[in-house]
Structure formats: C-alpha cells, structure tokens
Amino acid sequence: MSRIGKAPIAIPAGVTVTVDQKTNVVTVKGPHGELTQAVHPDLTVSVEDNHVHITRPSDDIEHRSQHGLFRALIHNMVEGVHKRYRKEMELVGVGYRATATGQVLELSLGYSHAIYLKLPAEVSVEAKSERNKNPLIILESRDKQLLGQVCAKIRSLRKPEPYKGKGIKFVGEIIRRKSGKKAGAK
C-alpha cells in the first residue's frame, strides 16, 4: 500500500470538500477561496466524518503512483484554502531592486533594462526593501502548484551564481559556493 495514499486527509473547520462521483472532480471551498481537481478515473474519493479517503482498485504500479499523487494534491488544496501558502524570495546583488504595483512585479537585476512580470490573479505579491538589507519578494497563494511555478519563473530570471552568490534565491536557501581562481594558484 502507498503510505501516503492510505493516510486520510483531515478537513479543518470552515472547509468543505465535495466530490462529483460522475466526473470524479473534487472541489474544496474554504475561507481563502475554492479549488478543483480532476481525479484519476480508477480512484475512488469519499468524504466520511470530516476526513477524505482515497482508495484504489488494485496494486498495479500505475494505481499505486496515482493513489499517492492525488492524495497529496487534495491535501495541498485543503491546506491552501484553509491557510494560504507563502514563499519569500531574496534579491542578492548590488543594485538589485523589486517593486510591486498591483499584479505587476518590476525587477532590476543588473541587466540594461527593467523586467516586468504580470502575475496571475490568484497570487498576491508584496515587495519589501529595507536599508542595509537585501530586497524581499513575498508571494502568497492558495494554489501551491501555481505559487511554485511563479517562484520558479522569477528565480529563472537571475539564478544564484556560485562565486559571489548573486541572484534571486529563497529566504533560508544555502548556495554552494566555489572558491574561484585565486584558491587554485600557488
């Protein structure tokens, strides 16, 4: 049995989970919005006494992998509508700046031009810059997958480089540093 798939998902107060048995679509509503997910047709999703249970028909490798996957996706949906997901990104480098106006994020990353990113409506963005500290980009969303995609897109604009550590990184992320030319010379 999949250890992840067989674990029931607890439904917190204020969150409702409904399953359309005909189309096998799970809808989760909560204080931060609503999310839907189509589930593999072979899996069975049921809601019993504030818990969501997912069962599979056989021990085929396909059914086992789908079992754990859809349990994790539904769990992320429940967590997202209950309390939103939050990611903080840090801009490390001289002259790197970020400003957010509405859903548009403006980044100055050492290129000859500014970069403007229009973010999806489901993602809220905030940019902070304090004196003598690296600028921060704070992103929040109820959809974990979408939030991860947006973070990956922002990070891809200037990945952290291993020599000076300049670039866009997550807060708390450790960058493996290289010593450079001087360390090898004798």
Side-chain angles (χ1 to χ4, degrees):
M1 282 283 280
S2 166
R3 289 187 219 164
I4 294 172
K6 69 181 180 181
I9 303 167
I11 302 172
V15 176
T16 58
V17 178
T18 55
V19 181
D20 184 4
Q21 297 296 340
K22 207 181 323 180
T23 58
N24 222 15
V25 173
V26 177
T27 305
V28 181
K29 293 180 186 175
H32 293 291
E34 176 180 339
L35 293 171
T36 58
Q37 175 68 47
V39 179
H40 193 276
D42 292 343
L43 300 178
T44 307
V45 181
S46 61
V47 180
E48 299 163 1
D49 51 270
N50 281 348
H51 283 79
V52 178
H53 299 278
I54 301 168
T55 55
R56 64 176 187 245
S58 71
D59 274 345
D60 288 346
I61 193 161
E62 173 73 17
H63 290 153
R64 286 192 317 227
S65 63
Q66 298 297 327
H67 192 207
L69 167 73
F70 284 106
R71 190 265 179 205
L73 290 176
I74 294 170
H75 174 72
N76 290 342
M77 289 167 45
V78 170
E79 288 293 313
V81 297
H82 181 59
K83 51 184 187 213
R84 297 164 54 110
Y85 288 102
R86 178 185 173 105
K87 295 268 188 184
E88 294 182 0
M89 302 181 86
E90 184 178 15
L91 279 68
V92 180
V94 178
Y96 288 11
R97 289 189 310 275
T99 54
T101 48
Q103 289 302 106
V104 177
L105 182 65
E106 179 186 351
L107 298 168
S108 294
L109 300 174
Y111 297 117
S112 61
H113 59 282
I115 299 169
Y116 296 91
L117 274 176
K118 184 161 180 10
L119 302 178
E122 295 87 10
V123 178
S124 64
V125 63
E126 179 186 349
K128 286 185 182 178
S129 56
E130 296 177 21
R131 193 166 173 87
N132 296 330
K133 288 190 179 177
N134 292 328
L136 287 177
I137 302 170
I138 300 165
L139 300 161
E140 286 189 358
S141 178
R142 64 180 174 260
D143 191 348
K144 189 175 186 178
Q145 181 179 355
L146 180 65
L147 183 64
Q149 262 184 317
V150 170
C151 288
K153 177 64 179 168
I154 293 171
R155 184 183 161 100
S156 72
L157 298 173
R158 183 69 95 171
K159 287 186 179 172
E161 54 95 20
Y163 296 102
K164 291 184 178 178
K166 292 170 47 172
I168 302 173
K169 67 181 191 107
F170 292 103
V171 172
E173 180 182 5
I174 297 169
I175 306 297
R176 283 188 64 191
R177 304 290 294 270
K178 292 184 180 179
S179 56
K181 289 197 288 189
K182 290 185 179 179
K186 289 188 178 183

